[in-house]
Amino acid sequence: MLARRSLLLTWVMLTSGVQSWRPCTDLLPLDLLARSLPHPGHAPPPQLQMVQSKGSRGLRLVGTVATTLTFPASQIFSNCDYFPAEFSLVATFKIQRLRPKRNEYIFSMVEEASDSLLLGLRVSGNRLDFLPAAHGVGRRSQLSFKDVRLDDNRWHTVVLAVTGLYATLTVDCGLSLELKQVQPFPSALSTRGSSFFIGSRRSLRGRFTGLLRQLVLLPGSDATPRLCPTSDPSLAELSIPPVLKSPALQPEQHGPVYPYEAEARVTVGEPPPCSGAEEGQLWFNAQRKGLFICEGLSWRTLLQHQQRLDYVEDHQDLYTSSETFDVEVFSIPSEGLFLAAANRDSRPGSGIYKWRNGSFQLYQNISTQEARAWKHFTVGEQFFLVVANSGEAEPELSVIYRWNKRRRRFLRHQTLETHAALDWEAFHIDDHSFLVVANHRRDSNHNIQSVIYRWDAETKMFEVNQTLSTSGAYDWEFFSVGPYHFLVVANTFDGQTTSVSSTVYVWLEGYFQTFQSIPTVGATDWETFQIDGRFFLVVANSQKVSNRGPNLYSLNSTVYELNRLTQTFIRFQDILTHSAVDWEFFTIGEEKFLVVANSHDGSSYSLNSVVYRWQGYEGFIPVHSLPTFGCRDWEYFSIDEGSFLVYSSATSRLSKVFKLRTY
C-alpha cells in the first residue's frame, strides 16, 4: 500500500496531463559499485586496488583522495529525481577490527551544493547504521542495528530492506532483524544535484578501509529471496562487477589492469591446495624462489628465479641386492617418492626404495626373474608397477603389481606371458589405458611379436589389443604431436646384424600403423622431447654387430627432428657415444639437457657418461662428464630438496644418486 502511495505521489508531482506512468528508475538491480568504476579499457585510478582474500576478490581504497568512486545520482534516476520509497540494499564486504567509536561508510548519497547527507550506510565495531534523510530541511535520522559484529575480517553479505516505517537487516542469509523507524522513509526524497560516493562520505574521515565486493540497489522489493538460501551465504551474489569475477591475471590480457594484491602462503614443502576456494591466492615457495598464483585447479608460475646448472655432485651410494638394469622413479600422492630397481637376481628379487630424510631407503622387496625394467602407471585413481622379467623359466611371466592403500604395499595384480621382455611402456589414448611390451626374442628367434594390451574396465585386467612385428625389441616410447599419437620401437638385432631399422607407428582408426622406418644400429632406447614447439627423437645406438668385421661400440647416436612439411623425422645431429643404452631429457630453469648412458667401449665398462646442453642452432654440446661403471639407465627427478640424477649399473651392485647444483 505504501509503495502504491509513494509511486502515486511521484506521478502527481511529475506529471500533469501525461497519460503514461514510469518509475524514476528501472526496477531491476542497480549495481552501484560497477557504475562507480572506470569503463572497460580505461585505466583504473591509482587509489583503487583489487585484493584477493579467502578466494574472493574485492576493491580497496588507498591514497589521499576520498572521492575515487563516485557518480551522479542522475545516472540511475533518469526518469525523475526521487529515490524509491521501497527498496533494498545489498552489500558484500570484508573489514578488519575497527577501533572503538570509529565509523566507516560503505556508501553515501550527498547533495553536492550543501554537502548534506541524504542517505548513508556505515559500519562500526558492533553495529550497522542506516542514515536516511528525515522530513525537514537539513534533518537526518539514524537507524542502528546493534550487536551486529561485521568487523571480524570475514566476508559478509548484508541485505537492508526498507518499507515505510520498517527496515529489515539480513546478514549472511541468517535470521532477519526488523526495526521500526520513528517516521517512515521519505516518500519523495529528492536526488537532484546529488551524487553517490562509494566507500566514503565525500571525505577521508570515515572512509571505508575494508574490501568491497558488491553494492546493489534493488528498487521496489526485498532482495533477500533472490539471494537466499545459497551454498555460500557470506558471498551471496545479486550483481558483482565483472572485473571482480574474471580471472585475476590472464596471459593474453591487454589494456589497463587493476593493481592486484592477494593473500600469500610461504612454504618450503609440498605445494598448498589449489581449488576454487584458493583461486587467485598467491604462493611463494621460499626454497625454489618462485611466486605462483592459483588458477582454480593448478598453480601457475608468475615469477621464478631461473636456475642454471652449475655442477654435479655425488649425493648417495645406492647399494642394491644385485646388478641393476633399470630404475624407475615415481611418486604416490600422500605417500611420497619411490624408486623401483630392476635387479638381476631372483633372490631376494628387486627392491622398491622410498625417499626418506634426503636419500632412498629400502621399502619393499618383490620377487622377480632377472628383471630388466619397471614401469609405473595409473589407471583412474589406481597406481601400478609392471616388471619386465627376462628369466629362462617357461613360461616367462611378467607381472603387474597394484598399490594397496591399506597395506601400503605393491601386491600382485596380473601376470602376462612375455618373451625375454626388456621394456614396458604405458600410455593413454581417448580415456583408454594401454601397455606395450618389448619382447626381445623367443629362444634364438629375435623376429617375433611384441604385444599391446588394453585395460578392460569390466574385468579390471589388461587384454591383448594388437601385436606388432619387432626384431630384438629393446625399448618402446610413446609420444603425441597435436592430436596424433605415436609409438616408436628400438629394434636391436634381427639374428644376423644390428643394422636394422626401428619403426615409428601412428595411431589410426583404433590401431597402430607404420608411419616411418628409421635406420638404427643396435638401438636400445628412444627418448622424445620438445623444445620451443619443436619435436625431437633421440636414439641410443649400442653396437654394430655383423657376420663380417669386428664389433664396434663407439658409434654415433642420432637426434631426429619432426619436419612438419615432409611429415617425417629427419636427422638433426649425430653424437658420438660408447655402447649407449639410455638417454634422459631434463630441464633446469630454462635450460634443456640430455644425458647419455655410455656402458662399454669394447675394452672397459668404466666410462664417462656425458651431460649435453641445448645450444639452439649448435644443437647439444657436452658440458659435464660423469664417471660411471656399467651405466645402464638414467632417471631425473626434481623435488623441493633440489634436482637429482640417478643411474643404475648393470655390472655392479652400486648405483649412484647425483645432486644437480644450481645458481
Side-chain angles (χ1 to χ4, degrees), residues 490-501:
N491 285 325
T492 304
F493 186 62
D494 65 358
Q496 301 293 325
T497 178
T498 56
S499 297
V500 294
S501 292

Side-chain angles (χ1 to χ4, degrees), residues 158-225:
V158 299
V159 180
L160 178 66
V162 177
T163 303
L165 284 170
Y166 297 95
T168 304
L169 177 67
T170 305
V171 179
D172 299 336
C173 291
L175 295 176
S176 298
L177 303 174
E178 185 177 79
L179 294 180
K180 184 177 181 180
Q181 305 180 79
V182 176
Q183 50 187 331
F185 186 84
S187 58
L189 177 61
S190 175
T191 63
R192 181 173 298 175
S194 64
S195 293
F196 284 94
F197 293 90
I198 310 302
S200 76
R201 194 236 176 271
R202 203 187 182 188
S203 66
L204 287 176
R205 183 180 179 183
R207 187 176 67 176
F208 190 68
T209 58
L211 303 180
L212 188 58
R213 176 172 173 83
Q214 177 175 224
L215 184 59
V216 182
L217 169 65
L218 180 62
S221 62
D222 183 356
T224 306

